[in-house]
Amino acid sequence: MRPAHATKALDISVGTRVEADGGLTPLVLLVSAVAAIGGFVFGYDIGGGGGSFAMEGFQTQFGWANKSEAVRADEIGWISALLTLGAAAGAAPSGILSDRVGRRPCIITSALIFSIGASLQAFASGSPSASLAQLYVGRLVGGFGVGMLSTTVPVYIAECAPGSWRGSLSMCWQFAIVIGIVVASLANVPLAHWDQGWRVSYGGNVVFALLLALLMVWMPESPRWLGQRGREAALRRTLSRLRSSTLAAEEEATSIEAKAAEEAAGGASSWRGLLRRPLAMRHRMLLGVALQCWQPLAGINAIMFFAPKILLAYFSAEAALWGTLGINVANAAATVVALVGVDRLGRVPLLLASGLLMCVCHLAMVALALSPPSQQLGYAVVSVASLFVASFAFGWGPLPWTVCSEIFPTKYRSKATAVTTATNWLVNTAVGKVFPLLPLATAFAIFAAACFAACATVFFFQPETANLGMEQIDEAFESHRVRRVSAKLWSADRRARIRAEGRRRMRAAAGAAVVAYASEVRAAGGDGAAGVGKGEEKRESIV
């Protein structure tokens, strides 16, 4: 018999609810770290592929010495765009696949597909035209795998994480991406002195993709997917491994089952349902699409992928690679801010601060791009670019993925994240193809305008979801109203009140759970004293 208290919802105001989820466990950390290898694979591709353009071996293999600047720019655009185009194509079916067979098999399949694509790129051979054709095919296939990974991995981590740690653990995807970029950028420096080094830049991540596929075999399935499929025994067994206490696992299992039953009563999910008013799906869907649209329009992939090419206007090939490495290290360091602050400061303040700083950096880059090139100017470009990627890393880098992985109801989550992720990759494709053809000043001006529009979208339309359980986010959207411009989002007093209220609510939730659990034990005629003692110990550890 299930504990009666598990079906009772606590009356906690939106934005301050913290679940008594039992805290973090080693298995949750392991699940997040293993799944995030998919982000490392993608990041390595960004850092490795972009750096190859400055390598003599790559230029020789593809006959760039005999091609005009316009032709080289077009080929670079396609090398970038085909990966993101493939990712857009892979994002859509991954939503259906992960709903039908589970998150874990979908991640394994994605890793294997990417391995095939990266291998095709690494072993491109023959004439320049034949090599380029094989590289293009490999980019498209590898992109398909990346698209599936980027749709499924953030959702899988969010669904396995405890509510109070979901934001920080969801950062693992983006943190792994930036670590992959740094590793590839660091490897590019010595690889540039080897004629075949560019092959490692494109195919070195095959090892990590295969490692991901192998390790996922031993990882648990998403508990929310199990609840959605009605597999109650497997759901409780999985949560008992992921949560630090039996009480926390039982309460969460009951909450998931209740939510699944409520969603099932509304009928099966459909693509049309993504834009209907019930459950505020239209609001959620449009917000998710907007976030994933603004993220690439902020200009990050253009900067990260084309940084070596941009810096060649100011430095030698090797110095350009070192400059790119410095930019990528700044990216990785700033991501730690998001890891620490995403649940403490909230999603909305971080996105606003990140977007405004990026806007300022792009305006500075416009001024630098209009100045005559020199080595001194090159140092300024590296400095401003480092500040830009640092600004991106603590807000608009990880948070669109985090928000889109948590704001949708379980029955719509896979379909909705497939659409939002495909949007990201389609816009990325356009940016990657068009950016090399635009004057730098024009491109950075467009990026600055996009950053400002992104901040406006977040300010007016995004409710705060930090410290909310995934089953309580419905209330946040249903009660959300467009913010007034006079809203004091940056008030220190307001942030202090939110943190204090969050701690108070957590203590209240823990206390209520302990009292209800003890009452259930006594009613069942069990060892009430032992149950109460265990509950009081749990309550003291939380408080």
Side-chain angles (χ1 to χ4, degrees):
M1 180 178 178
R2 298 176 192 165
H5 71 275
T7 62
K8 298 179 181 179
L10 295 173
D11 183 17
I12 296 176
S13 58
V14 175
T16 58
R17 175 151 187 170
V18 179
E19 295 179 311
D21 48 36
L24 206 56
T25 63
L27 181 58
V28 170
L29 285 173
L30 180 63
V31 164
S32 302
V34 168
I37 295 175
F40 180 91
V41 166
F42 175 42
Y44 187 101
D45 190 277
I46 294 174
S52 69
F53 302 146
M55 298 181 182
E56 289 185 12
F58 179 88
Q59 296 175 9
T60 301
Q61 179 69 38
F62 294 94
W64 277 14
N66 302 318
K67 295 177 180 177
S68 66
E69 179 63 28
V71 171
R72 292 198 297 269
D74 183 64
E75 290 180 357
I76 290 174
W78 280 114
I79 291 171
S80 171
L82 284 171
L83 179 83
T84 53
L85 187 62
S94 65
I96 299 173
L97 181 65
S98 65
D99 263 350
R100 291 186 177 179
V101 303
R103 317 308 193 211
R104 188 179 59 163
C106 188
I107 293 174
I108 294 172
T109 303
S110 308
L112 295 176
I113 291 174
F114 177 84
S115 299
I116 296 171
S119 298
L120 287 172
Q121 297 170 59
F123 292 103
S125 58
S127 65
S129 59
S131 298
L132 188 63
Q134 183 173 335
L135 184 69
Y136 282 172
V137 173
R139 298 294 285 174
L140 196 63
V141 175
F144 194 93
V146 166
M148 295 180 68
L149 286 170
S150 62
T151 301
T152 312
V153 169
V155 169
Y156 175 71
I157 293 175
E159 291 183 341
C160 290
S164 57
W165 285 91
R166 188 182 64 251
S168 297
L169 292 177
S170 295
M171 296 295 105
C172 290
W173 166 256
Q174 182 67 21
F175 190 66
I177 289 177
V178 299
I179 293 299
I181 292 173
V182 170
V183 170
S185 300
L186 187 61
N188 279 342
V189 176
L191 289 173
H193 299 288
W194 178 34
D195 287 345
Q196 304 300 317
W198 65 271
R199 299 185 186 276
V200 181
S201 297
Y202 282 97
N205 46 5
V206 170
V207 175
F208 298 101
L210 293 176
L211 179 65
L212 170 62
L214 179 64
L215 293 178
M216 282 302 300
V217 173
W218 287 282
M219 296 298 107
E221 183 53 86
S222 158
R224 284 171 174 79
W225 182 83
L226 294 171
Q228 185 185 30
R229 307 297 287 187
R231 296 169 57 178
E232 296 185 7
L235 168 63
R236 281 173 164 73
R237 187 165 57 250
T238 298
L239 282 174
S240 68
R241 297 173 59 200
L242 291 172
R243 301 295 177 257
S244 60
S245 71
T246 303
L247 174 61
E250 176 62 29
E251 286 197 334
E252 188 169 346
T254 304
S255 175
I256 290 172
E257 289 171 353
K259 190 65 180 176
E262 179 184 339
E263 291 177 355
S269 66
S270 66
W271 293 100
R272 185 180 299 177
L274 295 179
L275 291 176
R276 288 179 176 169
R277 290 187 179 278
L279 296 175
M281 279 306 300
R282 184 179 301 174
H283 180 183
R284 302 188 207 210
M285 199 68 234
L286 293 177
L287 176 64
V289 167
L291 292 178
Q292 293 287 31
C293 179
W294 292 130
Q295 190 205 45
L297 282 175
I300 185 62
N301 282 353
I303 297 294
M304 302 304 291
F305 197 80
F306 297 107
K309 181 178 181 293
I310 295 172
L311 295 181
L312 281 174
Y314 307 99
F315 305 107
S316 65
E318 184 171 353
L321 291 175
W322 279 110
T324 303
L325 175 60
I327 293 172
N328 293 335
V329 169
N331 187 16
T335 304
V336 177
V337 176
L339 282 167
V340 174
V342 64
D343 287 319
R344 295 183 180 182
L345 301 176
R347 282 56 159 161
V348 172
L350 285 178
L351 284 170
L352 290 175
S354 171
L356 292 174
L357 282 173
M358 288 192 299
C359 184
V360 171
C361 289
H362 281 313
L363 293 176
M365 290 294 281
V366 170
L368 293 172
L370 293 174
S371 303
S374 65
Q375 191 172 43
Q376 289 72 23
L377 194 67
Y379 291 128
V381 169
V382 172
S383 299
V384 174
S386 297
L387 179 59
F388 166 77
V389 298
S391 303
F392 177 86
F394 73 76
W396 280 92
L399 289 178
W401 300 103
T402 299
V403 172
C404 288
S405 70
E406 68 185 5
I407 64 174
F408 301 110
T410 302
K411 77 172 183 177
Y412 287 113
R413 190 168 295 138
S414 292
K415 289 184 174 68
T417 53
V419 172
T420 57
T421 304
T423 300
N424 182 290
W425 292 119
L426 285 173
V427 178
N428 255 315
T429 301
V431 171
K433 189 69 181 73
V434 174
F435 178 78
L437 307 177
L438 291 175
L440 286 178
T442 302
F444 288 123
I446 294 172
F447 293 151
C451 289
F452 183 81
C455 289
T457 300
V458 170
F459 183 88
F460 289 111
F461 301 108
Q462 182 172 331
E464 184 56 73
T465 54
N467 296 321
L468 285 174
M470 297 188 81
E471 286 71 42
Q472 285 77 48
I473 289 177
D474 291 349
E475 182 184 348
F477 274 90
E478 289 171 2
S479 62
H480 179 72
R481 298 295 181 269
V482 175
R483 288 189 180 92
R484 295 172 298 173
V485 176
S486 60
K488 297 181 179 178
L489 291 177
W490 301 101
S491 167
D493 291 339
R494 179 180 180 275
R495 292 197 300 270
R497 287 197 303 272
I498 289 175
R499 288 194 292 268
E501 181 68 8
R503 290 191 294 267
R504 188 183 71 80
R505 297 299 185 183
M506 185 168 64
R507 290 193 293 268
V514 166
V515 172
Y517 182 71
S519 299
E520 181 68 21
V521 170
R522 286 194 295 270
D527 187 0
V532 172
K534 180 178 178 181
E536 290 295 333
E537 180 181 352
K538 175 65 180 175
R539 181 180 179 181
E540 291 175 3
S541 67
I542 294 176
V543 175

